[in-house]
Each structure stands twice: as structure tokens, then as C-alpha cells.
């Protein structure tokens, strides 16, 4: 079995039209998603979404890359330490 890592993908969305594509991608990767939190920041016209996954690194980076190619979406991924490297 391939090693999985817990990761958080954070998105800042400035283009409302990209939300449908984001939801479609999240649905496609739903088996790896532990949870998600969305925060509308109406004063700035932004939406912030954090998605927590437990998946192999290639799955996390694949989803992160697809999200980052959407117009008006800024994405960063943060990974948990590798097993055995916890401090």
C-alpha cells in the first residue's frame, strides 16, 4: 500500500465563476478528503477554502495543481511530516 500523508490545501478564491470547477474537482478527489472548511470574506470579495486530505503525495499535488490552474484561485499545500520523522 502506498504511503499516505495528511495534508492541507488552502485556497483563496477571487473569481466566483471558479467555484463550480473547484467543487467538481473536490468531488473527484472525495475519497481522499477528510474534511473541508469554507469562509466567505464578503468585505474583500474573497472566499477561503481549506481542504484536509489523507492521501499519497502525488494525489495531493495533483489536486493542488489542478486547483491552481483555475483562474482567480491561489493555492498552497502543506504536508505532515513523513512517518518516523515526527519531532
Amino acid at each position: 500500500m502506498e504511503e499516505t500523508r495528511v495534508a492541507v490545501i488552502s485556497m483563496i478564491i477571487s473569481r466566483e465563476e471558479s467555484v463550480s470547477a473547484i467543487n467538481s474537482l473536490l468531488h473527484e478527489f472525495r475519497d481522499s478528503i477528510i474534511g473541508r472548511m469554507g469562509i466567505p470574506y464578503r468585505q474583500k470579495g474573497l472566499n477561503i477554502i481549506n481542504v484536509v486530505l489523507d492521501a499519497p503525495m502525488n494525489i495531493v499535488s495533483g489536486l493542488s495543481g489542478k486547483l491552481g490552474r483555475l483562474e482567480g484561485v491561489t493555492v498552497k499545500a502543506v504536508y505532515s511530516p513523513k512517518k518516523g520523522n515526527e519531532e
Side-chain angles (χ1 to χ4, degrees), residues 2 5-6 11-13 25 33 38 41 47-48 67 73 76:
E2 193 171 358
R5 305 259 300 269
V6 173
M11 293 171 268
I12 297 178
I13 302 130
L25 282 168
I33 295 174
Y41 190 11
N47 290 292
I48 299 100
L67 291 166
V73 181
K76 292 289 180 189

Side-chain angles (χ1 to χ4, degrees), residues 11-40:
M11 293 171 268
I12 297 178
I13 302 130
S14 60
R15 188 170 189 270
E16 188 75 26
E17 294 82 1
S18 295
V19 172
S20 178
I22 291 168
N23 286 327
S24 179
L25 282 168
L26 295 179
H27 181 75
E28 182 182 329
F29 287 82
R30 68 189 173 278
D31 292 338
S32 299
I33 295 174
I34 298 170
R36 68 183 270 186
M37 175 181 63
I39 303 168

Side-chain angles (χ1 to χ4, degrees), residues 3-7 54-58 78-87:
E3 179 186 358
T4 64
R5 305 259 300 269
V6 173
D54 186 359
M57 286 184 66
N58 66 317
V78 179
Y79 296 86
S80 67
K82 284 186 179 180
K83 207 172 195 181
N85 288 345
E86 292 85 6
E87 298 179 354

